[in-house]
Amino acid sequence: VDFGGGIYLGGTGAANKLDDYEEGTWFASINSGGGSITTHTSYDKLAYKKIGSVVHVFGYTQASAISSPTGRLSISGLPFAVGTGGSELAQVAATVWLNNSATAVEHPVARAAGTGITIFNYTGTGVTDTVAANFGASTSIYINLTYSV
């Protein structure tokens, strides 16, 4: 169905016009604070849907090789930068799951800002940002994130 430049939802005012819908894929890169993590080229493409100013990203990425990763674990390459219009837009939570990590990350939590996602481990009293050391050569990161641009 072609809506010819937009569709009005819930009224005919400019604020009710949906004229921006896009879906596609984006290439994720797994990063560490020190050492290195090589992203598997067969598992580096994730999906996104952008509806107006809201972006949904989802999928998984996997490492193919590591070399003594340390420090912060992050994913870069979000298809659109996270909005910066105030504290409620500048940083948002992401749902992540680390599968097949070298050492268990009991409670992974993540925050998106800019064009990246940083993964932390919630310890019960706070978070640690040294998750990269837990990463193995075939660890997968499953991601589900919704944010505003």
Side-chain angles (χ1 to χ4, degrees):
V1 176
D2 180 9
F3 292 107
I7 185 171
Y8 290 90
L9 304 171
T12 57
N16 298 86
K17 186 176 182 182
L18 175 60
D19 61 356
D20 184 10
Y21 178 88
E22 179 180 336
E23 58 183 73
T25 56
W26 59 285
F27 291 93
S29 180
I30 305 169
N31 310 293
S32 61
S36 66
I37 299 173
T38 303
T39 308
H40 197 298
T41 57
S42 295
Y43 304 106
D44 64 347
K45 190 168 28 171
L46 287 78
Y48 76 87
K49 290 185 181 186
K50 182 175 182 286
I51 305 167
S53 63
V54 177
V55 180
H56 307 278
V57 296
F58 47 93
Y60 78 97
T61 185
Q62 182 176 322
S64 63
I66 62 168
S67 178
S68 305
T70 61
R72 221 169 238 191
L73 178 65
S74 64
I75 304 288
S76 59
L78 287 173
F80 303 93
V82 175
T84 59
S87 61
E88 71 280 359
L89 294 177
Q91 297 185 33
V92 295
T95 303
V96 295
W97 173 46
L98 275 68
N99 184 43
N100 201 27
S101 56
T103 306
V105 178
E106 296 294 326
H107 305 286
V109 294
R111 178 181 67 208
T115 58
I117 301 169
T118 303
I119 300 170
F120 303 91
N121 186 35
Y122 177 68
T123 64
T125 58
V127 294
T128 61
D129 66 353
T130 57
V131 177
N134 302 74
F135 221 75
S138 61
T139 300
S140 298
I141 304 174
Y142 292 78
I143 301 166
N144 189 357
L145 168 65
T146 300
Y147 64 98
S148 292
V149 294

